[in-house]
Amino acid sequence: MEFPLIAPQPPRLSAMTDGLRRIEASGVFSNNGPEVRAFEAEATERLFGGSGACLAVGNATLGLMVALRQAAGLRPRADSLALMPALTFAATAQAALWAGLTPLICDIEPDGWTADPRQEEALLARYGERIGVIVPYATFGTAIDLDRYAWLATRYRVGVVIDAAASLGTIDAAGRGFGTGAPFAIVYSMHATKTFSVAEGGLIYSGDAARVDQMRGMVNFGFEQGRSATLPGINAKLPEVIALMARAKLAEIDTVCAHRAGIDAAYRAALPELTMQCSCGRRQATQFMPVLLPPALAPRRDAIVAAMAAEGVGVGQYFSPHIGQQPLFRETALIEPTPVADAIGGRMLSLPITDAMQAADGPVIAGRLRRVLAQETARVGRQGSQQQGAAMDDLTTVVIGGGPAGTAMLTAASKQGKLAPLVEAGFAIVESRARMGAGELGCYAIRSDTTAETFLSAVKNNPHPELAALEHHPAGQLMGRYVAELGAPLVDTAPLLSVTADRLAGIVTRHGGSVLTGHRAERVQRTPDGRWQTTVRDADGGERSLVSRNVVIATGGYQTDEQVAAKRVAGVPLVALAGERLMRSDALLRLGGVGQVEARLRGVAAPRVAIIGASTSAIAAAVLLLKHQPGFAFGAGAVTLLHRQPLKPFYPNVAAAHADGFTDFDDDDICPVSGFVLRLAGLRLESRELVLRMLSLGGRVPDPRVAAHRIAGDDDAAARAIIADADLVIGALGYRPRAVPLFGSDGAPLALAHQAGRPMVDRHCRLLDAQDRPVPGAFGIGLSAGFVPWGRLGGEASFRGQANGLWLWQNDVGQMIVDQLLEREAQEAA
């Protein structure tokens, strides 16, 4: 017996001659005629208990377009976002684009396959009022928690539109039609392939009848009264003939859903070994039966689909690729990491559930599927046996870390036309996150100390067309809004870094390299022949070894409470001075950090804060606290910066410094290459502006809330007193490298310079051992690597410290490493 995936059974027009004659006699074929009005009233009563109101539309995509436009405020701001999950149909994102919104695509949770609530709330906090509307998808007809979205709408003052395309006929846990009483719009489909099968059509419902009334004008060219447009409008009206069919389907929908629920239950009983959706509610309007293949069989899905077709069973792959993987949306949307959607979408199979089937057909199809899976499992086993004992990867370079620094090195190579040669020599990049590029930058609440122009310079006029095109991608346009400003919010830098990394990954794989996202480098060990063996582990615990002549460590830096607490200030460990009042700067600067400060200072009438350090992080912490709204009750001198080195701003040249009245520098503070004053040590952008005010430079007036105290030494009792009097102490005392452990060929750990608190790399970005000697074939780049520019790279002679900057990584520093890697490869080849 044959089982097609979908076998539409809409009401038969041939059996509706009386209704068709009624339409003909009325002379009304569209424009909210009597059949449409009757269907809307009947649907409201039968499906939603008579509460709220329904609006019939030409199709669900039109319904989404109208509902999204209304929920986002009729005239949304130009950069308004529509937050939606990756695992949904293309129509969801298409509707957002047509409504003038940019899709913001998030991951899903692993059980019900609906939007990940934690990521939704993180993105609402990150993007704030830029998110005009949340567009949850009631995946495969499930009854999602609408009360939670009502709370989010109030909490974040954001619009909500539920894409419930497959849910017409679903009953929630309270026994009501899914959506009943919801204060926002819910959009359902009546497409021929849906459980509520008509032909083509959609239904918008809301518990708020006034909302539906406004949308009624929007679907009729924006006419609220008469024929003069007062609203954004479109023609999205449902024809009378389709409404006639919808009324007939409404009469039988309970029977149809109950019949399909029996088939669903039969599948679940027959295939207990497969993962299925954890659905909510009393009844799901089941369109088909989604199941997940075992992970090992995911690569064999096409073969499984073909084998099932040979068995007489139509099988689909909804939704694979998901919208975050589709070319249009990769060009037009902002896409967050979606590891769960990637994994689930990659394993998804859709088995038939049709009106023509019986519950007994479920076990029949299950038996055919089980037979096919057994055949494919055996084939995978044979292939695995053949591959056992094969040589490990023999590469030239392995890069560990695909965050801002690791991908910046690839950007540097792309700018010089050297990315393809680097990759073709044998290349792999390993990143623990599901997506390369941004690292943790999107988790911070501050502005960058790098200009928007610098971020854009990575792609603008890049020799690779796919990278150059990103200047006009939504992520590039977002960054463009911050040109000529004091940096860009770090949360807004993440999309461009991520999509740039996506394009770089495409170039790498196209030239034969490997991009191992979702893999963590566990250890790097020297082999007896002088190469490096990197052991990586995937999310499922599987291990793999990569053998290469070179390894590049780009794993960034970190800050811990213990690290900050142990630092000595005025001769005393900071923890002894501050105790439980101590907070590390990294915690403050992240999203939610100011909330932690609010909690710590709650009830303190006139709080005092001491910030220890003179770095960008220290000044950024002060800026963040001072500009927070609603503001803290800071009085005069409430925020004190305690620092050892003088606070000095960057200047583009000596004349500009003198024009502002800044003279606290000498020839050693001037970069001989660029002429910049304090090119490396000087504070920039927002931090610079605060310091300029503190120093009263250029006619600026100091902020009376901020004071500074330069620590005189270990005997500085005044510094200790300031800390003792503070209600909160922020330790902005640097980061340490998050480096993967290296081992010698004998398995013993290698002693490295950074483990003793010295720079991780030398002037050529080569990793240093405990005797400050270069470790052959090992390089480092990124935050806390300890690199100091020199020679043609410029920098002032007086600079003491390390230079961490995206521009350097994407240009001279990244190119320095690339050139050495290619040179070593050429030497090996010779």
Side-chain angles (χ1 to χ4, degrees), residues 584-596:
R584 56 189 167 87
S585 60
D586 189 69
L588 167 60
L589 299 178
R590 289 174 179 268
L591 295 170
V594 175
Q596 295 181 43

Side-chain angles (χ1 to χ4, degrees), residues 101-408:
L101 309 169
T102 297
L104 172 60
I105 298 171
C106 72
D107 207 0
I108 61 172
E109 47 82 24
D111 297 321
W113 308 338
T114 59
D116 179 355
R118 292 174 300 178
Q119 195 176 45
E120 280 181 320
E121 293 190 44
L123 292 172
L124 285 165
R126 181 191 304 177
Y127 286 99
E129 63 183 16
R130 281 196 61 209
I131 297 181
V133 60
I134 315 172
V135 198
Y137 174 51
T139 314
F140 303 138
T142 192
I144 59 177
D145 184 356
L146 299 182
D147 289 339
R148 175 177 170 273
Y149 285 105
W151 177 82
L152 288 177
T154 302
R155 168 69 176 80
Y156 293 97
R157 299 180 182 178
V158 65
V160 174
V161 173
I162 306 295
D163 182 347
S167 299
L168 208 50
T170 291
I171 296 176
D172 66 19
R176 306 169 302 176
F178 173 66
T180 300
F184 33 70
I186 304 181
V187 182
Y188 309 86
S189 174
M190 301 188 298
H191 190 270
T193 60
K194 293 293 187 288
T195 301
F196 198 103
S197 173
V198 177
E200 183 68 273
L203 187 71
I204 306 175
Y205 167 79
S206 177
D208 181 355
R211 181 182 296 276
V212 174
D213 285 343
Q214 186 178 58
M215 285 188 287
R216 192 176 300 281
M218 295 175 71
V219 304
N220 186 29
F221 304 102
F223 299 157
E224 289 181 284
Q225 294 180 351
R227 297 181 64 80
S228 180
T230 57
L231 298 167
I234 194 172
N235 180 11
K237 299 183 295 293
L238 186 73
E240 287 286 275
V241 171
I242 304 300
L244 179 67
M245 298 176 69
R247 294 181 69 185
K249 178 57 70 172
L250 184 62
E252 65 180 29
I253 189 59
D254 282 334
T255 301
V256 170
C257 287
H259 176 74
R260 288 174 171 244
I263 303 171
D264 180 294
Y267 271 127
R268 291 178 184 271
L271 291 169
E273 69 273 25
L274 295 186
T275 300
M276 299 181 186
Q277 183 184 26
C278 179
S279 60
C280 302
R282 294 190 183 179
R283 184 183 75 191
Q284 190 163 329
T286 311
Q287 184 180 0
F288 41 72
M289 189 67 205
V291 301
L292 299 186
L293 292 171
L297 292 182
R300 300 293 304 164
R301 184 171 56 179
D302 289 346
I304 291 168
V305 170
M308 288 295 287
E311 292 272 356
V313 180
V315 176
Q317 301 176 31
Y318 295 92
F319 295 104
S320 180
H322 62 65
I323 60 172
Q325 297 169 325
Q326 296 175 24
L328 173 66
F329 308 122
R330 294 187 75 83
E331 293 290 337
T332 58
L334 299 180
I335 305 172
E336 290 293 303
T338 57
V340 180
D342 297 347
I344 288 177
R347 295 168 55 195
M348 187 76 72
L349 282 185
S350 306
L351 304 177
I353 291 183
T354 68
D355 295 343
M357 288 173 57
Q358 301 300 319
D361 294 328
V364 173
I365 295 173
R368 298 181 190 181
L369 177 60
R370 190 175 288 111
R371 183 164 59 249
V372 168
L373 296 184
Q375 293 168 351
E376 291 302 320
T377 299
R379 182 172 288 108
V380 168
R382 290 194 298 272
Q383 292 173 346
S385 297
Q386 293 168 0
Q387 292 170 359
Q388 285 183 358
M392 293 180 291
D393 295 350
D394 185 7
L395 305 170
T396 295
T397 301
V398 169
V399 177
I400 301 174
T407 53

Side-chain angles (χ1 to χ4, degrees), residues 496-521:
L496 181 59
L497 290 172
S498 295
V499 73
T500 301
D502 291 344
R503 301 291 172 87
L504 288 167
I507 297 169
V508 168
T509 55
R510 192 165 64 247
H511 288 275
S514 296
V515 177
L516 302 179
T517 52
H519 287 68
R520 181 177 300 278

Side-chain angles (χ1 to χ4, degrees), residues 616-819:
T616 296
S617 294
I619 312 301
V623 171
L624 188 62
L625 293 175
L626 293 171
K627 72 178 185 180
H628 176 62
Q629 295 296 330
F632 294 101
F634 289 141
V639 178
T640 303
L641 283 161
L642 293 96
H643 55 96
R644 290 190 177 91
Q645 301 300 320
L647 301 175
K648 293 187 176 182
F650 161 85
Y651 276 98
N653 51 58
V654 172
H658 287 167
D660 259 5
F662 180 64
T663 58
D664 187 15
F665 63 93
D666 57 30
D667 288 346
D668 283 346
D669 295 318
I670 301 171
C671 171
V673 174
S674 64
F676 294 165
V677 177
L678 297 164
R679 175 183 174 182
L680 301 178
L683 294 158
R684 296 175 180 252
L685 302 175
E686 266 199 326
S687 296
R688 177 178 184 269
E689 284 300 308
L690 178 59
V691 169
L692 292 177
R693 292 186 65 184
M694 292 174 68
L695 299 177
S696 300
L697 294 172
R700 294 170 177 84
V701 178
D703 187 324
R705 299 173 295 173
V706 186
H709 177 86
R710 189 171 180 184
I711 301 172
D714 289 350
D715 297 327
D716 193 336
R720 293 195 293 269
I722 292 170
I723 296 172
D725 290 342
D727 300 292
L728 180 68
V729 180
I730 307 296
L733 297 165
Y735 291 77
R736 63 179 58 178
R738 185 190 287 112
V740 62
L742 269 64
F743 298 84
S745 58
D746 60 356
L750 292 181
L752 301 173
H754 74 267
Q755 295 165 343
R758 300 194 302 279
M760 186 170 112
V761 301
D762 68 3
R763 64 192 313 205
H764 299 285
C765 293
R766 298 176 298 187
L767 220 62
L768 294 173
D769 67 13
Q771 285 73 46
D772 291 326
R773 298 172 303 195
V775 178
F779 301 84
I781 184 173
L783 182 65
S784 298
F787 175 78
V788 179
W790 58 281
R792 66 178 182 83
L793 276 66
E796 62 270 28
S798 63
F799 179 67
R800 298 293 180 270
Q802 56 179 296
N804 296 309
L806 189 66
W807 189 90
L808 280 171
W809 299 342
Q810 291 179 343
N811 291 278
D812 293 330
V813 174
Q815 192 59 50
M816 176 189 296
I817 298 177
V818 170
D819 287 344

